[in-house]
Structure formats: structure tokens, C-alpha cells
Amino acid sequence: MPELPEVEVVRRGLERWVGGRTVADVEVLHPRAIRRHLAGAEDFALGLKGHRFGAPMRRGKYLWLPLADSDTSVLAHLGMSGQLLVKTQQTPDEKHLRIRVRFTDELGGAAPDAAGTELRFVDQRTFGGLSLHENTPDGLPDVIAHIARDPLDPLFDDEAFHQALRRSRSTIKRALLNQSLISGVGNIYADEALWRARLHYERPTATFTRPRTAELLGHARDVMNEALAVGGTSFDSLYVNVNGESGYFDRSLDAYGREDEPCRRCGTPMRRRPWMNRSSYFCPRCQRPPRLS
DNA sequence: CAAGGCTCCTGATAGC
DNA sequence: TGCTATCAGGAGCCTT
């Protein structure tokens, strides 16, 4: 559920609260939370201890904390329900607390009120996790080298994305969710961008014209920037920033979760269709299906 | 190689 | 009341 805007909100929180701080020790409370760290929990904890966090970075839905004095980074993915929370050490443990990172007393550039806080990875559905990786020459954790730039990245290549659509024999929503073509877009913002662009989710990508690709990318950027401006989307308490607060964008959703509610453009009842083990929400009038399919 | 399907997981909720 | 089925779904991995 956390997509680009939600992950970016978390990244900004980490920048303020844990950037520059030095790890005192790490506690792994559930092995699944570090399953991408193949060397195991002990190695993960040892690899962090005594190291200082640099400025947190993000690509798509991944974020990572470079270790200031080495060529490695702590990579984080929130999965469905992951949360990175900054809590005082006195705060009682959350039910689904998976990893705790304690810091030394030196703040090293973090906000003064970060004193006495620790970083917690909490994850109910355990699809997310943390891991430690070598960086590629461009400072990216090696295991996410295949993740494309996201559409809010100034270096995102619109023309390359368009050509990839032309070459592909897939359909547009699959392409939007393919993180090696464009990253950061998940089920919610894919449906929102498609609704804004009046495109059915099963439209073949090979037929896309340059203007159509440009319009879709523009809507994707707009909707994610609007969500970012209000702190992201949340339907329940699962998605929150590092202080445990939810965003407000769910009040602005035009497609996702609006089955049987009137389309905000034409009033036609919105539909939900099972799709790829999840759901697609669309307006049957504004977003006409392609001829075949 | 590309495309698409399967699977991991927990908790809320609906239905009987 | 208490059980079961369904849904939420990102991304690595596997099959075709």
C-alpha cells in the first residue's frame, strides 16, 4: 500500500530524525523482517553497529540509509504494511515490532528533539524488511540496480519509457506496475493516473502515441505530487509517517476504492474488477475497454 | 527473453 | 457465537 508519496514522506522523516546519527545496537525480533539479508540477523546487527547514517535516499518504493563510512547501505522496503517509526525509548513495544535500532547520544546533524529516540521497523503483514548491501558505483544498493527511476526523479527518461511501452506486448496497468520500467507506482496511483487519463487498464501499450504517454506520465506525476503535499494516502492506521501520523490523500481519491460510487466526471457508477490477484477501479464510461481483450 | 502467474503474511470483515 | 472464506498486495521467483 505505501507507494512513492508515502515512502517519500517516510524518507523525509528519517532525514530529520535519524540522518547523521550513529547506531549503538540493533535488535531483530522477527527473522522474516531481514530475510533479504542472507547472512542473517546477527550479521545484520553487527554490520550496523557503530556506523553513522548518511542522508536517506529513495528510488520508487525503496529507501535506503547509506552508512557514512563505508560503501554499504541499509535498504528498506515497507511492503504492504511496513512502518518506520521514531519513538522514545520509553514507548511500549508495538505488537508487530520487528526490528529496533538504538542510537548513541551524539545526534550528528539530526534534529535536537531526536535525543532519546530510537528507530523501529513495525510490520503486521511481514512483506517488508530491512537488509544491508554493497552500493553500486552510483551509490545504489546493488540488489535494486534493476529498479527503474521513478517519474518524480529529474533523470527519469520519458522518451525511453515511451519506447519501452511501444516495444512491450503488455497492457498499460501492468506496465505502470512494472518497477523495472517505471518505479514508485502501485495499485492505488496506477488506478488514479489511468482515471485522470481516461484510459482503461487493459489498453495495449504498443498502441501508445507519444502524446498519450506524455499525458499519462503527467497525470501520474500530478497525482503523486498532490498526495505528497498532504502527507500521502491512508485507509487505516497501517500507513503512517515516522511519527505515526496518517496522510489525507484518501479523501481525494477519484478511482481507487470507489466501487458503485458516481464517477466524479460523468456520474456513472464506478466499477471494480478482479485483476492480477487484486482490484482495478475504473469508470466504465470514461475509460472504455479496448476492442479485444 | 518476455509475459504472466504464484506465493509469502496477518487481521478485518462478511457470511453462514 | 464461532467457524471459514475472502480481501488487502509488492516483488522475487518460477513456469510457459
PDB file of all heavy atoms in Angstrom, chain A residues 62 77 80 127 256 278-279, chain C residues 6-12:
ATOM      1  N   TYR A  62      11.501   1.932  -2.758  1.00  0.00           N
ATOM      2  CA  TYR A  62      12.631   1.553  -1.903  1.00  0.00           C
ATOM      3  C   TYR A  62      13.236   2.788  -1.275  1.00  0.00           C
ATOM      4  O   TYR A  62      13.333   3.847  -1.903  1.00  0.00           O
ATOM      5  CB  TYR A  62      13.723   0.872  -2.729  1.00  0.00           C
ATOM      6  CG  TYR A  62      13.455  -0.573  -3.061  1.00  0.00           C
ATOM      7  CD1 TYR A  62      12.889  -0.924  -4.274  1.00  0.00           C
ATOM      8  CD2 TYR A  62      13.772  -1.584  -2.156  1.00  0.00           C
ATOM      9  CE1 TYR A  62      12.647  -2.256  -4.588  1.00  0.00           C
ATOM     10  CE2 TYR A  62      13.533  -2.915  -2.466  1.00  0.00           C
ATOM     11  CZ  TYR A  62      12.976  -3.240  -3.677  1.00  0.00           C
ATOM     12  OH  TYR A  62      12.736  -4.554  -3.982  1.00  0.00           O
ATOM     13  N   HIS A  77      12.265  -1.759   2.534  1.00  0.00           N
ATOM     14  CA  HIS A  77      11.043  -1.770   1.738  1.00  0.00           C
ATOM     15  C   HIS A  77       9.893  -1.992   2.704  1.00  0.00           C
ATOM     16  O   HIS A  77       9.972  -2.855   3.572  1.00  0.00           O
ATOM     17  CB  HIS A  77      11.070  -2.865   0.665  1.00  0.00           C
ATOM     18  CG  HIS A  77      10.041  -2.637  -0.402  1.00  0.00           C
ATOM     19  ND1 HIS A  77       8.696  -2.770  -0.170  1.00  0.00           N
ATOM     20  CD2 HIS A  77      10.156  -2.235  -1.686  1.00  0.00           C
ATOM     21  CE1 HIS A  77       8.036  -2.467  -1.284  1.00  0.00           C
ATOM     22  NE2 HIS A  77       8.900  -2.146  -2.217  1.00  0.00           N
ATOM     23  N   MET A  80       3.582  -4.202   2.291  1.00  0.00           N
ATOM     24  CA  MET A  80       2.174  -3.835   2.421  1.00  0.00           C
ATOM     25  C   MET A  80       1.922  -2.976   3.635  1.00  0.00           C
ATOM     26  O   MET A  80       1.087  -2.078   3.618  1.00  0.00           O
ATOM     27  CB  MET A  80       1.358  -5.112   2.613  1.00  0.00           C
ATOM     28  CG  MET A  80       1.077  -5.846   1.368  1.00  0.00           C
ATOM     29  SD  MET A  80      -0.193  -5.000   0.504  1.00  0.00           S
ATOM     30  CE  MET A  80      -1.539  -5.231   1.669  1.00  0.00           C
ATOM     31  N   PHE A 127       5.549  -8.291   4.684  1.00  0.00           N
ATOM     32  CA  PHE A 127       6.025  -8.282   3.305  1.00  0.00           C
ATOM     33  C   PHE A 127       7.231  -7.377   3.151  1.00  0.00           C
ATOM     34  O   PHE A 127       7.919  -7.398   2.136  1.00  0.00           O
ATOM     35  CB  PHE A 127       4.918  -7.791   2.359  1.00  0.00           C
ATOM     36  CG  PHE A 127       3.949  -8.849   1.958  1.00  0.00           C
ATOM     37  CD1 PHE A 127       3.682  -9.914   2.795  1.00  0.00           C
ATOM     38  CD2 PHE A 127       3.303  -8.789   0.746  1.00  0.00           C
ATOM     39  CE1 PHE A 127       2.780 -10.899   2.437  1.00  0.00           C
ATOM     40  CE2 PHE A 127       2.395  -9.773   0.370  1.00  0.00           C
ATOM     41  CZ  PHE A 127       2.124 -10.822   1.215  1.00  0.00           C
ATOM     42  N   TYR A 256      -9.666   4.694  -6.907  1.00  0.00           N
ATOM     43  CA  TYR A 256      -9.384   3.581  -6.003  1.00  0.00           C
ATOM     44  C   TYR A 256     -10.406   3.501  -4.857  1.00  0.00           C
ATOM     45  O   TYR A 256     -10.658   4.495  -4.177  1.00  0.00           O
ATOM     46  CB  TYR A 256      -7.971   3.700  -5.433  1.00  0.00           C
ATOM     47  CG  TYR A 256      -7.568   2.480  -4.652  1.00  0.00           C
ATOM     48  CD1 TYR A 256      -7.024   1.378  -5.281  1.00  0.00           C
ATOM     49  CD2 TYR A 256      -7.780   2.426  -3.287  1.00  0.00           C
ATOM     50  CE1 TYR A 256      -6.698   0.242  -4.563  1.00  0.00           C
ATOM     51  CE2 TYR A 256      -7.454   1.299  -2.562  1.00  0.00           C
ATOM     52  CZ  TYR A 256      -6.905   0.210  -3.203  1.00  0.00           C
ATOM     53  OH  TYR A 256      -6.599  -0.908  -2.492  1.00  0.00           O
ATOM     54  N   ARG A 278      -5.691  -8.750  -7.487  1.00  0.00           N
ATOM     55  CA  ARG A 278      -6.042  -7.543  -6.738  1.00  0.00           C
ATOM     56  C   ARG A 278      -7.252  -6.927  -7.414  1.00  0.00           C
ATOM     57  O   ARG A 278      -8.071  -7.643  -7.978  1.00  0.00           O
ATOM     58  CB  ARG A 278      -4.857  -6.582  -6.658  1.00  0.00           C
ATOM     59  CG  ARG A 278      -4.281  -6.182  -7.992  1.00  0.00           C
ATOM     60  CD  ARG A 278      -2.896  -5.615  -7.840  1.00  0.00           C
ATOM     61  NE  ARG A 278      -1.949  -6.710  -7.634  1.00  0.00           N
ATOM     62  CZ  ARG A 278      -0.650  -6.537  -7.491  1.00  0.00           C
ATOM     63  NH1 ARG A 278      -0.153  -5.328  -7.503  1.00  0.00           N
ATOM     64  NH2 ARG A 278       0.163  -7.553  -7.360  1.00  0.00           N
ATOM     65  N   SER A 279      -7.419  -5.624  -7.354  1.00  0.00           N
ATOM     66  CA  SER A 279      -8.591  -4.993  -7.943  1.00  0.00           C
ATOM     67  C   SER A 279      -8.185  -3.833  -8.830  1.00  0.00           C
ATOM     68  O   SER A 279      -7.174  -3.176  -8.591  1.00  0.00           O
ATOM     69  CB  SER A 279      -9.520  -4.455  -6.852  1.00  0.00           C
ATOM     70  OG  SER A 279     -10.048  -5.502  -6.081  1.00  0.00           O
TER      71      SER A 279
ATOM     72  P    DT C   6     -13.506 -18.230  -0.985  1.00  0.00           P
ATOM     73  OP1  DT C   6     -14.360 -18.337  -2.170  1.00  0.00           O
ATOM     74  OP2  DT C   6     -12.194 -18.912  -0.917  1.00  0.00           O
ATOM     75  O5'  DT C   6     -13.269 -16.679  -0.690  1.00  0.00           O
ATOM     76  C5'  DT C   6     -14.387 -15.837  -0.441  1.00  0.00           C
ATOM     77  C4'  DT C   6     -13.915 -14.424  -0.172  1.00  0.00           C
ATOM     78  O4'  DT C   6     -13.411 -14.334   1.177  1.00  0.00           O
ATOM     79  C3'  DT C   6     -12.779 -13.950  -1.091  1.00  0.00           C
ATOM     80  O3'  DT C   6     -13.171 -12.724  -1.687  1.00  0.00           O
ATOM     81  C2'  DT C   6     -11.582 -13.780  -0.153  1.00  0.00           C
ATOM     82  C1'  DT C   6     -12.264 -13.507   1.171  1.00  0.00           C
ATOM     83  N1   DT C   6     -11.466 -13.861   2.380  1.00  0.00           N
ATOM     84  C2   DT C   6     -11.366 -12.942   3.399  1.00  0.00           C
ATOM     85  O2   DT C   6     -11.896 -11.853   3.353  1.00  0.00           O
ATOM     86  N3   DT C   6     -10.624 -13.345   4.484  1.00  0.00           N
ATOM     87  C4   DT C   6      -9.989 -14.568   4.641  1.00  0.00           C
ATOM     88  O4   DT C   6      -9.365 -14.804   5.665  1.00  0.00           O
ATOM     89  C5   DT C   6     -10.123 -15.488   3.542  1.00  0.00           C
ATOM     90  C7   DT C   6      -9.469 -16.815   3.620  1.00  0.00           C
ATOM     91  C6   DT C   6     -10.848 -15.090   2.477  1.00  0.00           C
ATOM     92  P    DC C   7     -12.356 -12.159  -2.933  1.00  0.00           P
ATOM     93  OP1  DC C   7     -13.348 -11.665  -3.904  1.00  0.00           O
ATOM     94  OP2  DC C   7     -11.325 -13.138  -3.329  1.00  0.00           O
ATOM     95  O5'  DC C   7     -11.619 -10.907  -2.289  1.00  0.00           O
ATOM     96  C5'  DC C   7     -12.375  -9.974  -1.518  1.00  0.00           C
ATOM     97  C4'  DC C   7     -11.415  -9.121  -0.730  1.00  0.00           C
ATOM     98  O4'  DC C   7     -10.900  -9.869   0.383  1.00  0.00           O
ATOM     99  C3'  DC C   7     -10.203  -8.653  -1.534  1.00  0.00           C
ATOM    100  O3'  DC C   7     -10.213  -7.246  -1.618  1.00  0.00           O
ATOM    101  C2'  DC C   7      -9.001  -9.181  -0.762  1.00  0.00           C
ATOM    102  C1'  DC C   7      -9.570  -9.486   0.612  1.00  0.00           C
ATOM    103  N1   DC C   7      -8.905 -10.603   1.321  1.00  0.00           N
ATOM    104  C2   DC C   7      -8.495 -10.435   2.652  1.00  0.00           C
ATOM    105  O2   DC C   7      -8.690  -9.355   3.207  1.00  0.00           O
ATOM    106  N3   DC C   7      -7.904 -11.458   3.299  1.00  0.00           N
ATOM    107  C4   DC C   7      -7.718 -12.621   2.663  1.00  0.00           C
ATOM    108  N4   DC C   7      -7.125 -13.612   3.347  1.00  0.00           N
ATOM    109  C5   DC C   7      -8.122 -12.819   1.312  1.00  0.00           C
ATOM    110  C6   DC C   7      -8.711 -11.789   0.686  1.00  0.00           C
ATOM    111  P    DA C   8      -9.364  -6.552  -2.785  1.00  0.00           P
ATOM    112  OP1  DA C   8     -10.219  -5.472  -3.314  1.00  0.00           O
ATOM    113  OP2  DA C   8      -8.794  -7.568  -3.675  1.00  0.00           O
ATOM    114  O5'  DA C   8      -8.149  -5.917  -1.978  1.00  0.00           O
ATOM    115  C5'  DA C   8      -8.400  -5.004  -0.921  1.00  0.00           C
ATOM    116  C4'  DA C   8      -7.145  -4.873  -0.110  1.00  0.00           C
ATOM    117  O4'  DA C   8      -7.033  -6.031   0.742  1.00  0.00           O
ATOM    118  C3'  DA C   8      -5.866  -4.900  -0.943  1.00  0.00           C
ATOM    119  O3'  DA C   8      -5.500  -3.578  -1.305  1.00  0.00           O
ATOM    120  C2'  DA C   8      -4.837  -5.501   0.012  1.00  0.00           C
ATOM    121  C1'  DA C   8      -5.675  -6.232   1.049  1.00  0.00           C
ATOM    122  N9   DA C   8      -5.450  -7.676   1.073  1.00  0.00           N
ATOM    123  C8   DA C   8      -5.526  -8.563   0.029  1.00  0.00           C
ATOM    124  N7   DA C   8      -5.268  -9.798   0.359  1.00  0.00           N
ATOM    125  C5   DA C   8      -4.995  -9.718   1.714  1.00  0.00           C
ATOM    126  C6   DA C   8      -4.640 -10.686   2.672  1.00  0.00           C
ATOM    127  N6   DA C   8      -4.490 -11.973   2.386  1.00  0.00           N
ATOM    128  N1   DA C   8      -4.442 -10.270   3.946  1.00  0.00           N
ATOM    129  C2   DA C   8      -4.578  -8.975   4.234  1.00  0.00           C
ATOM    130  N3   DA C   8      -4.911  -7.979   3.417  1.00  0.00           N
ATOM    131  C4   DA C   8      -5.104  -8.424   2.162  1.00  0.00           C
ATOM    132  P    DG C   9      -5.019  -3.282  -2.759  1.00  0.00           P
ATOM    133  OP1  DG C   9      -4.867  -1.821  -2.791  1.00  0.00           O
ATOM    134  OP2  DG C   9      -5.902  -3.974  -3.720  1.00  0.00           O
ATOM    135  O5'  DG C   9      -3.592  -3.991  -2.846  1.00  0.00           O
ATOM    136  C5'  DG C   9      -2.490  -3.439  -2.144  1.00  0.00           C
ATOM    137  C4'  DG C   9      -1.300  -4.352  -2.283  1.00  0.00           C
ATOM    138  O4'  DG C   9      -1.588  -5.609  -1.656  1.00  0.00           O
ATOM    139  C3'  DG C   9      -0.909  -4.686  -3.737  1.00  0.00           C
ATOM    140  O3'  DG C   9       0.477  -4.467  -3.915  1.00  0.00           O
ATOM    141  C2'  DG C   9      -1.211  -6.162  -3.866  1.00  0.00           C
ATOM    142  C1'  DG C   9      -0.992  -6.619  -2.436  1.00  0.00           C
ATOM    143  N9   DG C   9      -1.571  -7.910  -2.114  1.00  0.00           N
ATOM    144  C8   DG C   9      -2.469  -8.638  -2.844  1.00  0.00           C
ATOM    145  N7   DG C   9      -2.776  -9.782  -2.302  1.00  0.00           N
ATOM    146  C5   DG C   9      -2.033  -9.815  -1.130  1.00  0.00           C
ATOM    147  C6   DG C   9      -1.942 -10.802  -0.125  1.00  0.00           C
ATOM    148  O6   DG C   9      -2.521 -11.872  -0.058  1.00  0.00           O
ATOM    149  N1   DG C   9      -1.078 -10.426   0.894  1.00  0.00           N
ATOM    150  C2   DG C   9      -0.377  -9.250   0.929  1.00  0.00           C
ATOM    151  N2   DG C   9       0.416  -9.055   1.982  1.00  0.00           N
ATOM    152  N3   DG C   9      -0.450  -8.315  -0.001  1.00  0.00           N
ATOM    153  C4   DG C   9      -1.289  -8.663  -0.999  1.00  0.00           C
ATOM    154  P    DG C  10       0.965  -3.072  -4.577  1.00  0.00           P
ATOM    155  OP1  DG C  10       0.382  -1.971  -3.816  1.00  0.00           O
ATOM    156  OP2  DG C  10       0.771  -3.125  -6.025  1.00  0.00           O
ATOM    157  O5'  DG C  10       2.523  -3.150  -4.306  1.00  0.00           O
ATOM    158  C5'  DG C  10       3.048  -2.894  -3.024  1.00  0.00           C
ATOM    159  C4'  DG C  10       4.426  -3.499  -2.906  1.00  0.00           C
ATOM    160  O4'  DG C  10       4.315  -4.901  -2.553  1.00  0.00           O
ATOM    161  C3'  DG C  10       5.258  -3.474  -4.171  1.00  0.00           C
ATOM    162  O3'  DG C  10       6.607  -3.279  -3.773  1.00  0.00           O
ATOM    163  C2'  DG C  10       5.031  -4.822  -4.811  1.00  0.00           C
ATOM    164  C1'  DG C  10       4.784  -5.728  -3.605  1.00  0.00           C
ATOM    165  N9   DG C  10       3.762  -6.748  -3.772  1.00  0.00           N
ATOM    166  C8   DG C  10       2.605  -6.671  -4.509  1.00  0.00           C
ATOM    167  N7   DG C  10       1.859  -7.730  -4.399  1.00  0.00           N
ATOM    168  C5   DG C  10       2.559  -8.564  -3.535  1.00  0.00           C
ATOM    169  C6   DG C  10       2.244  -9.849  -3.038  1.00  0.00           C
ATOM    170  O6   DG C  10       1.242 -10.518  -3.253  1.00  0.00           O
ATOM    171  N1   DG C  10       3.230 -10.335  -2.193  1.00  0.00           N
ATOM    172  C2   DG C  10       4.380  -9.663  -1.860  1.00  0.00           C
ATOM    173  N2   DG C  10       5.210 -10.279  -1.033  1.00  0.00           N
ATOM    174  N3   DG C  10       4.689  -8.456  -2.316  1.00  0.00           N
ATOM    175  C4   DG C  10       3.742  -7.969  -3.149  1.00  0.00           C
ATOM    176  P    DA C  11       7.737  -3.121  -4.860  1.00  0.00           P
ATOM    177  OP1  DA C  11       8.791  -2.352  -4.184  1.00  0.00           O
ATOM    178  OP2  DA C  11       7.147  -2.633  -6.119  1.00  0.00           O
ATOM    179  O5'  DA C  11       8.279  -4.592  -5.090  1.00  0.00           O
ATOM    180  C5'  DA C  11       8.959  -5.242  -4.030  1.00  0.00           C
ATOM    181  C4'  DA C  11       9.275  -6.661  -4.436  1.00  0.00           C
ATOM    182  O4'  DA C  11       8.057  -7.425  -4.520  1.00  0.00           O
ATOM    183  C3'  DA C  11       9.937  -6.799  -5.812  1.00  0.00           C
ATOM    184  O3'  DA C  11      10.892  -7.831  -5.699  1.00  0.00           O
ATOM    185  C2'  DA C  11       8.795  -7.251  -6.706  1.00  0.00           C
ATOM    186  C1'  DA C  11       8.072  -8.158  -5.726  1.00  0.00           C
ATOM    187  N9   DA C  11       6.708  -8.487  -6.091  1.00  0.00           N
ATOM    188  C8   DA C  11       5.844  -7.782  -6.894  1.00  0.00           C
ATOM    189  N7   DA C  11       4.669  -8.355  -7.028  1.00  0.00           N
ATOM    190  C5   DA C  11       4.771  -9.513  -6.264  1.00  0.00           C
ATOM    191  C6   DA C  11       3.867 -10.555  -5.999  1.00  0.00           C
ATOM    192  N6   DA C  11       2.636 -10.594  -6.491  1.00  0.00           N
ATOM    193  N1   DA C  11       4.297 -11.556  -5.185  1.00  0.00           N
ATOM    194  C2   DA C  11       5.535 -11.509  -4.697  1.00  0.00           C
ATOM    195  N3   DA C  11       6.473 -10.585  -4.885  1.00  0.00           N
ATOM    196  C4   DA C  11       6.025  -9.602  -5.683  1.00  0.00           C
ATOM    197  P    DG C  12      12.339  -7.687  -6.290  1.00  0.00           P
ATOM    198  OP1  DG C  12      13.025  -6.674  -5.463  1.00  0.00           O
ATOM    199  OP2  DG C  12      12.256  -7.525  -7.755  1.00  0.00           O
ATOM    200  O5'  DG C  12      12.957  -9.123  -5.962  1.00  0.00           O
ATOM    201  C5'  DG C  12      12.880  -9.629  -4.640  1.00  0.00           C
ATOM    202  C4'  DG C  12      12.542 -11.105  -4.675  1.00  0.00           C
ATOM    203  O4'  DG C  12      11.151 -11.288  -5.029  1.00  0.00           O
ATOM    204  C3'  DG C  12      13.359 -11.909  -5.689  1.00  0.00           C
ATOM    205  O3'  DG C  12      13.741 -13.131  -5.057  1.00  0.00           O
ATOM    206  C2'  DG C  12      12.382 -12.126  -6.847  1.00  0.00           C
ATOM    207  C1'  DG C  12      11.045 -12.204  -6.108  1.00  0.00           C
ATOM    208  N9   DG C  12       9.881 -11.804  -6.896  1.00  0.00           N
ATOM    209  C8   DG C  12       9.746 -10.663  -7.660  1.00  0.00           C
ATOM    210  N7   DG C  12       8.569 -10.558  -8.231  1.00  0.00           N
ATOM    211  C5   DG C  12       7.891 -11.708  -7.827  1.00  0.00           C
ATOM    212  C6   DG C  12       6.577 -12.147  -8.129  1.00  0.00           C
ATOM    213  O6   DG C  12       5.721 -11.584  -8.839  1.00  0.00           O
ATOM    214  N1   DG C  12       6.278 -13.359  -7.519  1.00  0.00           N
ATOM    215  C2   DG C  12       7.136 -14.053  -6.723  1.00  0.00           C
ATOM    216  N2   DG C  12       6.683 -15.204  -6.223  1.00  0.00           N
ATOM    217  N3   DG C  12       8.370 -13.658  -6.422  1.00  0.00           N
ATOM    218  C4   DG C  12       8.681 -12.475  -7.010  1.00  0.00           C
TER     219       DG C  12
END
